[in-house]
Amino acid sequence: MEMGVINLARVDERLIHGQVMVTLSQKSGVNSIFVVDDVVAKDKFMRDLYKSAGSRTGQKTIVITPDKAKFYWDEYEFKDYNCILITKTVGAIYDLVKHGLPMKELNIGGIAQKDPAKDILVTKSVYLNKEDAEKLKELNESYGVENIYFQATPSAPKSSLKEVLVKFNL
């Protein structure tokens, strides 16, 4: 039976935006974009908006809740979709991987500051708290997510997970 692949996972609060997705979706073998987010998936206007933004990249774009994503993996292993999977938060990716969705490459793109007391600016476009840093470390060490890096856009400089974990003494 054919099995899909999560070619690249990305955490970005803006989900799909412009040039970034166009460039990323040209990654070899990619044929779809999965936007996994509860709020967006349950709002028809937002869903349609992201579907049309995604389809401008030439890729089939599927907008689903995390629960649907888990079900679709358990039942069908994403069929023949070689996808870029995007969520808004580290927690959402963590939950999907712990459920059993396999991924090797995770790009942390853009996360805004929520709690000034806890969130530190780890790269130009990413604020992270210690809890999320620990989740990323666990995904890397225990769940086979080998390549975790911080990069806002494909042309921006890359920071490794290791460089970021140091900031949390992890």
Side-chain angles (χ1 to χ4, degrees):
M1 187 179 111
E2 200 144 17
M3 183 172 142
V5 175
I6 299 169
N7 210 302
L8 169 69
R10 177 172 163 95
V11 173
D12 190 338
E13 289 188 340
R14 295 163 299 182
L15 295 171
I16 295 176
H17 60 106
Q19 259 335 97
V20 176
M21 280 322 296
V22 171
T23 311
L24 291 179
S25 65
Q26 286 159 356
K27 203 172 172 305
S28 73
V30 170
N31 62 11
S32 50
I33 297 168
F34 281 45
V35 174
V36 181
D37 186 75
D38 255 325
V39 177
V40 172
K42 288 175 176 162
D43 176 331
K44 186 179 177 341
F45 175 77
M46 293 297 285
R47 209 167 52 229
D48 291 347
L49 197 70
Y50 281 109
K51 274 188 187 162
S52 81
S55 65
R56 280 203 289 277
T57 66
Q59 306 293 359
K60 182 167 174 64
T61 301
I62 294 167
V63 182
I64 46 177
T65 65
D67 284 344
K68 276 236 176 79
K70 290 173 188 173
F71 173 80
Y72 197 52
W73 178 261
D74 293 346
E75 291 294 310
Y76 306 106
E77 293 183 322
F78 287 4
K79 295 186 172 160
D80 55 358
Y81 289 116
N82 285 350
C83 67
I84 294 175
L85 185 146
I86 313 170
T87 68
K88 282 184 183 172
T89 66
V90 169
I93 283 281
Y94 178 78
D95 189 42
L96 293 171
V97 173
K98 282 197 83 164
H99 180 81
L101 278 71
M103 54 187 74
K104 296 258 183 274
E105 186 178 339
L106 172 58
N107 164 222
I108 311 297
I111 304 174
Q113 189 176 38
K114 313 277 183 307
D115 178 350
K118 288 188 184 153
D119 299 349
I120 64 172
L121 187 63
V122 293
T123 66
K124 253 189 352 209
S125 60
V126 176
Y127 280 91
L128 210 60
N129 60 38
K130 188 158 189 180
E131 191 189 341
D132 281 349
E134 283 166 344
K135 284 179 177 168
L136 291 172
K137 185 175 195 247
E138 187 185 337
L139 291 179
N140 182 242
E141 289 173 358
S142 310
Y143 288 92
V145 188
E146 293 159 14
N147 182 12
I148 300 179
Y149 57 93
F150 295 74
Q151 187 180 35
T153 63
S155 57
K158 248 185 209 192
S159 303
S160 69
L161 178 61
K162 208 179 192 142
E163 289 168 69
V164 168
L165 291 180
V166 166
K167 300 181 186 199
F168 295 94
N169 301 317
L170 290 172

